[in-house]
Amino acid sequence: MSTLNVPKPDFMQDEELAIFENSVIRFFDEHAPPERVQRWRDDGQVEREFWTEAGQAGLLGVSVPEEYGGAGGDFRHDVIVLEQVVRKDISGFGASLHNCIVTPYVVAHGTEEQKQRWLPRLCNGELVAAVAMSEPGAGSDRQSIRTTALKDGNGYRINGSKTFISSGQNADFIVVVAKTDPSQGARGVSLLVVETREVEGFRRGRKLDKIGQDAADTSELFFDDVWVPAENLLGMEEGLGFRQLMAELPRERLAIALQSATRAEMALAATIEYTTERKAFGQRVIDFQNSQFKLAEMKTQATIAKVFAYHCLDLLLKGQLDTATVSMAKYWITDTENKIIDEGLQLHGGYGYINDYPIARLYRDARITRIYGGSNEIMKVIIARTLGQ
Ligand SMILES: Cc1cc2nc3c(=O)[nH]c(=O)nc-3n(C[C@H](O)[C@H](O)[C@H](O)COP(=O)(O)OP(=O)(O)OC[C@H]3O[C@@H](n4cnc5c(N)ncnc54)[C@H](O)[C@@H]3O)c2cc1C
């Protein structure tokens, strides 16, 4: 039963997509049962083996063209996977990062040789992808990154440290954002691929102790004189890094917004269920007028979030989603998600604070969405730039 009365848009309703969605649901039911997922949360990391299983089942690289080992789908297939990761409560499995962020860098900006070399292995689960932008001293301000990749013989020598890197423990394919020309700002930035099994000087640091997304292996990474061949420079031309990152931002930010809209809907459903069963002062909690007003507000906000997310998805599929519009979606939907979950938790009383209840994990998992993928303050900076244009 759907909690919201927002029909799937026409472009999401076709038989092939429904078959794919069923296969994704079946895969998670079989391979990610609650006790296994709980083990990943306890370990702070999804098992590496699960990535291989997901690759073999066709859940990785779903929008990569078939000629490179992908499923030949499009972003709608990515959306199905990322939505089911949330619905099945396996936050921490970085399929969205792998499918919607990193792999598309190779599809869009890799040379033919790079596509042939990497994409089949990114699709079959042999490689787990990460992107290493953030540094201890450079988060929102990407231009101030200090990691360098300086020409050395037929390749580049990478030096620097990165932090907050999702899939940092499992990743064996890391797109490193580095300065190939430290004398330049944005124009000195390039993207270099480090295949961790093939280099010396690469070290994984701490798996960071977070307040949510327990199974996500967000980590520090260190690069000490790591040498990679020139063939690992994405696109084989220096100084394109910023442009390459920017070109892919609408899809990345929409992926976050779509997941947040789904979590908002789940929070509403969990709260309706709980308040219907819980009694206080001889009546159901849902029968208090305050509860009804709060739930009415939550439902309205979750509906608007979903409709706007679908609108942006429609624009993206038509190649018309601009940076300011997706920034509105990312900022507003993640803010709204957090508000809805907070109100839902309040209506659970003390049980909302106990991790046994889904609303508690939603609360912890959702908090980061306002910060990563470009903080919501940065989203407003981007939107504000278009004012008066
Ligand atoms: C769980 C998790 C996963 C992550 N995954 C990755 C990953 O896979 N790869 C990766 O590279 N990074 C990743 N990050 C890092 C994330 O992208 C950064 O945390 C984020 O970009 C913010 O940077 P910062 O933490 O350095 O904050 P800062 O940039 O120091 O910002 C601090 C505060 O200042 C505000 N601020 C900054 N600049 C402005 C401005 N111009 N105007 C107004 N306000 C401003 C920010 O909004 C924020 O509120 C992850 C982080 C977390 C916690």
Side-chain angles (χ1 to χ4, degrees), residues 131-134 139-140 142 164-166 210 218 368 371-372 375 377-378 381:
V131 57
M133 284 185 251
S134 304
S140 305
R142 302 271 185 237
F164 296 136
I165 306 309
S166 301
K210 310 180 299 308
T218 313
I368 186 57
I371 297 169
Y372 67 14
S375 73
E377 290 72 32
I378 295 295
V381 170

Side-chain angles (χ1 to χ4, degrees), residues 28 32 36 67 107 116 137 180 186 194 215 235 253 325 339 388:
F28 285 135
R36 193 177 185 198
E67 60 198 288
V107 174
Q116 302 271 3
T180 38
V194 170
R253 292 183 173 152
T325 305
K339 259 188 238 153

Side-chain angles (χ1 to χ4, degrees), residues 288-305:
F288 293 117
Q289 193 181 48
N290 175 66
S291 310
Q292 292 175 356
F293 281 9
K294 288 294 174 195
L295 285 162
E297 287 166 16
M298 289 162 67
K299 185 164 184 174
T300 307
Q301 291 161 350
T303 300
I304 297 169

